[in-house]
Amino acid sequence: AGCKQPKKEVRDPRFENLCGRLDYDTFRNNYSFLEDLEKEELDAKTKKQKKKKQKKEDPEIELLRRRRTERQRADRERAVLASIKKEEKEKVKSGKRPFFLKRAAIKQRILDDRFNHLRAEGKLNKFLKRKRRRSSGAATGLSQRVKYSDDASS
């Protein structure tokens, strides 16, 4: 019969108030080397795959690429939101009453930024073409579903 020790409390810093709030910019600066390592890893894996002359892309490479592009998109969105907040703070300092943009206006600004980014990379036409193809496909699928449901009710 030994003495009972108090149970050790496990704390997860993501949900603990003692650790404070996450400052995303500081986090990105402190761990920016990981992005460089990830890029090097991706380059190495794509070279290795090219040497093997495989036509189908490795799922791991595809996952790394998708994760990277998603992170870049999220960073651009965050930058747009930060610029909106900065503009509004400056206007408040100059004497204007605080104004908060509606979600639709924020989404529109993010979309404008996305189009500007695609235009700068020269990928805007390809994106719009794909978007048109998808929407036309969705429209024909919808009309076919309506047609079939009308036949069933007759």
Side-chain angles (χ1 to χ4, degrees):
C3 38
K4 285 192 168 188
Q5 292 181 339
K7 187 179 177 187
K8 194 172 186 177
E9 190 176 334
V10 179
R11 292 185 176 163
D12 190 346
R14 295 174 296 174
F15 308 112
E16 199 62 43
N17 286 335
L18 294 171
C19 298
R21 294 185 59 84
L22 171 68
D23 182 13
Y24 192 78
D25 295 328
T26 307
F27 176 82
R28 294 289 287 178
N29 282 339
N30 290 344
Y31 293 99
S32 61
F33 68 94
L34 288 176
E35 201 169 307
D36 299 334
L37 286 174
E38 191 179 50
K39 185 180 185 327
E40 289 172 11
E41 180 184 358
L42 182 65
D43 292 342
K45 286 186 178 188
T46 51
K47 281 182 183 177
K48 193 174 185 180
Q49 186 180 13
K50 282 182 181 178
K51 280 185 180 178
K52 289 182 178 179
K53 296 183 180 179
Q54 292 177 336
K55 293 188 181 195
K56 191 175 180 186
E57 192 171 67
D58 186 28
E60 193 175 350
I61 294 173
E62 190 178 324
L63 178 71
L64 282 172
R65 270 208 185 99
R66 192 176 310 124
R67 195 181 296 160
R68 226 184 121 129
T69 55
E70 182 62 30
R71 192 178 311 116
Q72 289 170 347
R73 186 196 57 76
D75 285 345
R76 282 195 311 274
E77 277 186 23
R78 218 173 264 106
V80 168
L81 291 173
S83 70
I84 291 171
K85 286 181 182 179
K86 188 177 178 182
E87 288 173 18
E88 199 53 43
K89 280 183 181 179
E90 289 173 2
K91 288 177 184 177
V92 168
K93 281 183 182 178
S94 66
K96 185 181 172 257
R97 284 183 53 188
F99 176 75
F100 301 99
L101 281 176
K102 294 179 177 77
R103 282 193 186 124
I106 292 173
K107 282 184 180 180
Q108 185 61 44
R109 288 246 188 119
I110 290 171
L111 194 63
D112 290 344
D113 179 66
R114 185 176 182 190
F115 281 133
N116 290 336
H117 177 73
L118 287 169
R119 188 177 294 122
E121 286 186 343
K123 297 180 180 178
L124 183 63
N125 288 333
K126 183 178 178 183
F127 172 77
L128 291 174
K129 191 176 185 181
R130 200 171 347 135
K131 196 88 166 162
R132 267 189 234 107
R133 197 178 313 132
R134 283 183 189 157
S135 64
S136 69
T140 57
L142 181 66
S143 64
Q144 287 175 351
R145 275 182 261 146
V146 170
K147 186 193 283 185
Y148 289 129
S149 63
D150 288 343
D151 292 342
S153 62
S154 318

